[in-house]
Amino acid sequence: MENLLGLLRIHVKRGVNLAIRDISSSDPYVVVHSGKQKLKTRVIKHSVNPEWNDDLTLSVTDPNLPIKLTVYDKDLFSADDKMGEAEFNIATYLEAIKFRHKLEGGLPNGTIIMKIQPSRQNCLSEESHIVWNQGKLVQNMFLRLQHVECGEVELQLEWIDVPGSRGI
């Protein structure tokens, strides 16, 4: 892939207090979009607090392209119901990744490198941390779903260098 910077592994951990779209629960799954790429988690039946723990991997060519996340309720006999959406940017995370070589070997696991505050410009429901963990920089985040009455999704981002790519 031309202009590839690297890969972004999105670990979709769980949903919290998602909207009810069936009689008493929902069958949620997550779709992640970035540019022309579209990936999705598995469906978790009968849960408004699903534990997906699914890894989705995007090819990153533009660090400024937003990543869109949409939660749906799987329906058998009709179109799937939308359960909210959120968007996040990876530019700040990629800035931290550029400096990781300076961190190697000198930091204990769990060291917070950078904090990102919730604001009107992002969908964070709480402060997001970029953390040094087992020789890697990861970003943990809770996203508040928009256009819905309730719900959050917890993610963890991890950068994967690809040999031969342009790098960041």
Side-chain angles (χ1 to χ4, degrees):
M1 179 182 273
E2 198 173 312
N3 296 324
L4 179 68
L5 297 174
L7 302 175
L8 181 70
R9 179 176 294 140
I10 303 169
H11 183 72
V12 183
K13 291 184 175 184
R14 63 190 176 121
V16 179
N17 193 29
L18 299 180
I20 294 173
R21 287 292 179 261
D22 293 333
I23 294 169
S24 63
S25 189
S26 292
D27 303 319
Y29 65 96
V30 175
V31 175
V32 174
H33 281 262
S34 182
K36 295 178 181 174
Q37 298 174 85
K38 178 181 172 183
L39 303 165
K40 71 183 199 180
T41 66
R42 62 199 162 92
V43 175
I44 303 292
K45 299 250 183 224
H46 313 296
S47 180
V48 292
N49 294 296
E51 300 265 346
W52 287 288
N53 285 312
D54 283 357
D55 286 331
L56 307 177
T57 304
L58 290 171
S59 300
V60 177
T61 55
D62 181 351
N64 299 310
L65 200 62
I67 297 173
K68 296 177 180 159
L69 174 146
T70 309
V71 180
Y72 291 95
D73 171 46
K74 181 74 175 166
D75 287 327
L76 290 177
F77 303 111
S78 62
D80 293 353
D81 300 314
K82 198 180 263 194
M83 297 173 66
E85 57 197 4
E87 188 174 292
F88 63 95
N89 290 300
I90 59 170
T92 305
Y93 175 60
L94 294 183
E95 282 301 310
I97 291 291
K98 285 181 186 178
F99 298 103
R100 72 177 178 260
H101 64 278
K102 295 179 182 175
L103 306 172
E104 290 173 357
L107 293 175
N109 279 343
T111 301
I112 296 172
I113 305 303
M114 191 178 292
K115 298 177 182 180
I116 301 156
Q117 299 299 323
S119 72
R120 291 191 174 161
Q121 284 72 46
N122 62 42
C123 293
L124 295 173
S125 60
E126 61 184 49
E127 187 174 78
S128 175
H129 296 161
I130 298 174
V131 179
W132 184 256
N133 190 18
Q134 298 183 358
K136 299 175 185 168
L137 276 179
V138 297
Q139 182 174 353
N140 300 305
M141 62 175 72
F142 267 100
L143 297 174
R144 178 173 287 118
L145 297 175
Q146 299 178 318
H147 312 296
V148 68
E149 59 271 22
C150 58
E152 296 179 355
V153 174
E154 183 181 8
L155 306 175
Q156 184 180 70
L157 307 182
E158 179 187 332
W159 184 254
I160 302 168
D161 284 313
V162 175
S165 68
R166 296 191 290 156
I168 47 175

